[in-house]
Amino acid sequence: MDSNSLKYGIFSFIIPGLGQYLNNDKQKGLGLFGAAILLHIFIWFFMNNPLGSVLQTAYHLYAGYDAYKNY
């Protein structure tokens, strides 16, 4: 396990797409970041309940795992 892969995974967990962006996969990073913004807006207005929180956490976990495994 490389320390950069763990670092990029943590960055992308905190801000989805940041780890991919720093890993020179800029298009995927921007796409994940844009999708996270839309997901958070959708959940804020339509699903402001525990299920929305679970979906947000799952998306952040996916983004972090994707950055970790693709480094």
Side-chain angles (χ1 to χ4, degrees):
M1 176 172 74
D2 189 9
S3 65
N4 281 338
S5 62
L6 182 60
K7 180 172 56 172
Y8 291 159
I10 292 171
F11 287 163
S12 202
F13 173 73
I14 296 170
I15 301 174
L18 181 60
Q20 288 84 354
Y21 190 84
L22 294 174
N23 194 21
N24 291 326
D25 196 359
K26 297 189 185 323
Q27 188 174 12
K28 187 174 189 177
L30 291 174
L32 284 171
F33 182 70
I37 299 276
L38 293 175
L39 178 69
H40 284 276
I41 290 171
F42 176 79
I43 289 173
W44 176 267
F45 285 110
F46 300 110
M47 291 181 63
N48 201 1
N49 57 35
L51 178 62
S53 296
V54 169
L55 288 174
Q56 287 176 338
T57 303
Y59 186 76
H60 281 255
L61 284 171
Y62 165 74
Y65 174 72
D66 184 65
Y68 172 76
K69 74 176 175 94
N70 287 327
Y71 177 75

